[in-house]
Amino acid sequence: MVQSSRMPVYFICHGAGPWPWVAEMQAWHAQMADALRGIPRQLGRRPRAVLLISAHWEEPVFTVQSAQQPGMLYDYGGFPAHTYQVQYRSPGSPALAQRVERLLEQGGIAVRQDGQRGYDHGMFAPMHIIYPEAQVPVVQLSLRSNLNAAEHLAMGRALAALRDEEVLIIGSGASYHNMRTFGIAGHAPSKRFDDWLAQTMLQTTPAERSQRLADWESAPGARMAHPREEHLLPLMVVVGAAQQDVAQRVYFEERFMESATMSSYCLGAAMDKGIAADIL
């Protein structure tokens, strides 16, 4: 593909808990894993660092992880004992944390640093597939616990300059996240919401896209797909950081875990039909 000097951004579905380390779960996540493995090829070069916004970290004020070597946070329950010994030892980047703090402050957005926060599974499960050798520094950035979509779009806009500094911005969540309706009950509502999301991401102008995402609760099946929106908000951040860029759907699955329709998106990459799952 033709390489752009500016890094693209990704919204990815990170899957269920520590799935890369649970053999019984790997078949359910096979298509998702293939999409994640494709990211380094799509980029065409290794980023200087990754800034990852995980659905599994909320704070009253946007908070950036600043440890030189973050620990591990096993934020799941009921999985095999060995999954609580998993290590993903990518380094952190205090310098990137400071840069994030400065950009957000310049944008009038309150922010603080946290030198104690470890990596949660919204980071280490997908990053284990993307960069299994953990050679790229990763810094996590929290959601704000008020879960306001417009504020997360604005935070993304404030961070856009990082894309010109070889920083890969990844929003890690899910296009559908209702644990009570995985199964037959979840298929129709997840499909309705995913169809709306595809139309929003692929068939609208940048201004329309941002407005529709800010008003996401009016979408068909919205609150069935996201009873609580923390898994959708990482999408707002990456769209804010790439608000003028064309989107591609890079992962699409109608029967994830035998029920839900799920999708992931990239914005700002050179168009390549061999990479995109579809461009509607």
Side-chain angles (χ1 to χ4, degrees), residues 38 41 64 67 116 123 125 127 146 157 169 203 218 228 251:
R41 175 176 60 86
V64 60
Q116 302 301 314
M123 178 278 197
M127 290 303 297
N146 67 355
R157 290 193 292 271
I169 300 174
Q203 297 182 339
S218 64
R228 194 172 184 276
Y251 160 67

Side-chain angles (χ1 to χ4, degrees), residues 37-278:
R37 289 189 194 100
I39 290 176
R41 175 176 60 86
Q42 294 159 25
L43 295 175
R45 79 276 202 193
R46 185 181 298 174
R48 177 173 64 85
V50 171
L51 179 66
L52 185 139
I53 301 89
S54 170
H56 292 279
W57 187 14
E58 300 173 29
E59 296 286 350
V61 174
F62 290 121
T63 304
V64 60
Q65 186 183 54
S66 58
Q68 181 64 54
Q69 180 59 74
M72 301 292 290
L73 180 59
Y74 304 112
D75 56 336
Y76 40 76
F79 289 91
H82 73 270
T83 64
Y84 300 90
Q85 305 298 320
V86 165
Q87 294 291 314
Y88 186 80
R89 301 297 292 171
S90 66
S93 175
L96 177 56
Q98 291 177 359
R99 177 66 172 143
V100 168
E101 183 178 46
R102 187 160 58 250
L103 287 171
L104 293 183
E105 288 176 343
Q106 289 171 356
I109 297 172
V111 59
R112 68 179 184 89
Q113 294 189 24
D114 185 336
Q116 302 301 314
R117 169 80 183 192
Y119 291 137
D120 62 55
H121 79 272
M123 178 278 197
F124 64 76
M127 290 303 297
H128 173 73
I129 304 299
I130 299 168
Y131 290 117
E133 296 179 4
Q135 71 273 49
V136 178
V138 182
V139 169
Q140 285 195 225
L141 176 61
S142 80
L143 303 174
R144 190 175 176 205
S145 54
N146 67 355
L147 304 183
N148 180 278
E151 288 190 26
H152 289 78
L153 284 159
M155 182 176 74
R157 290 193 292 271
L159 296 171
L162 293 174
R163 298 177 57 204
D164 297 314
E165 300 169 12
E166 291 297 299
V167 175
L168 174 63
I169 300 174
I170 295 177
S172 176
S175 60
Y176 178 82
H177 193 259
N178 186 339
M179 303 307 292
R180 295 182 179 180
T181 58
F182 269 108
I184 294 174
H187 181 64
S190 70
K191 183 67 165 59
R192 286 196 298 272
F193 183 75
D194 202 83
D195 287 347
W196 174 88
L197 190 61
Q199 183 184 48
T200 297
M201 294 298 293
L202 305 174
Q203 297 182 339
T204 63
T205 67
E208 290 169 337
R209 181 172 64 197
S210 292
Q211 186 59 56
R212 284 166 66 99
L213 289 175
D215 297 334
W216 73 274
E217 289 180 87
S218 64
R223 279 299 178 189
M224 177 66 85
H226 292 279
R228 194 172 184 276
E229 55 265 45
E230 79 286 344
H231 274 70
L232 185 64
L233 288 179
L235 174 64
M236 313 303 180
V237 180
V238 301
V239 168
Q243 59 179 352
Q244 298 302 318
D245 288 325
V246 173
Q248 300 175 60
R249 187 159 61 177
V250 294
Y251 160 67
F252 174 74
E253 189 170 354
E254 280 203 277
R255 291 284 183 177
F256 174 69
M257 294 181 69
E258 301 180 356
S259 62
T261 300
M262 302 280 276
S263 55
S264 296
Y265 292 88
C266 174
L267 295 91
M271 286 295 194
D272 185 332
K273 292 182 180 179
I275 289 173
D278 58 353

Side-chain angles (χ1 to χ4, degrees), residues 26-36 250-254:
Q26 290 170 6
W28 296 343
H29 291 75
Q31 288 181 239
M32 183 182 294
D34 285 344
L36 294 172
V250 294
Y251 160 67
F252 174 74
E253 189 170 354
E254 280 203 277

